[in-house]
Amino acid sequence: MRVLWTPEALQDRIDIWDYIANDNPLAAVHMDELFSDSANRLAEHPKLGRAGKVPGTRELVAHEHYRLVYEINNETVWVLTLIHTARLWPQARS
């Protein structure tokens, strides 16, 4: 399978990089490598994560504070978002 990041997930990744790199650039590099490694494992094992909170999605903990939310569509794993575990996912409806 191939793994693709949605534009939203890529933006999440950039935002996390920027936030961490502001204090510790080496930590940002390490965290981004964890994200890449986790996503790459999904190419071989797409059901590695648990069933997601949103029907049709799955979630993989990439780091104790971050999880990848993804869906499997035919031969593609789509990373939908990269979210801090303290953030509400999915967002509550008003």
Side-chain angles (χ1 to χ4, degrees):
M1 293 200 134
R2 64 184 181 158
V3 177
L4 298 176
W5 293 69
T6 63
E8 295 82 8
L10 284 173
Q11 187 61 55
D12 293 338
R13 194 170 171 177
I14 291 166
D15 292 345
I16 292 165
W17 171 280
D18 289 343
Y19 180 78
I20 295 171
N22 191 45
D23 290 327
N24 188 337
L26 289 176
V29 169
H30 175 70
M31 189 67 68
D32 197 62
E33 287 173 350
L34 287 176
F35 299 153
S36 288
D37 292 346
S38 294
N40 290 337
R41 285 196 322 260
L42 293 174
E44 292 295 320
H45 307 284
K47 293 190 177 180
L48 186 61
R50 66 174 189 233
K53 295 177 183 175
V54 173
T57 66
R58 299 190 68 79
E59 298 180 10
L60 178 65
V61 176
H63 175 272
E64 65 181 305
H65 296 296
Y66 292 97
R67 66 185 185 266
L68 295 167
V69 179
Y70 66 98
E71 67 183 5
I72 303 165
N73 187 343
N74 297 322
E75 293 298 313
T76 305
V77 173
W78 287 95
V79 179
L80 304 174
T81 191
L82 179 58
I83 190 158
H84 193 281
T85 55
R87 291 185 58 201
L88 183 61
W89 170 261
Q91 292 192 2
R93 294 183 181 172
S94 348

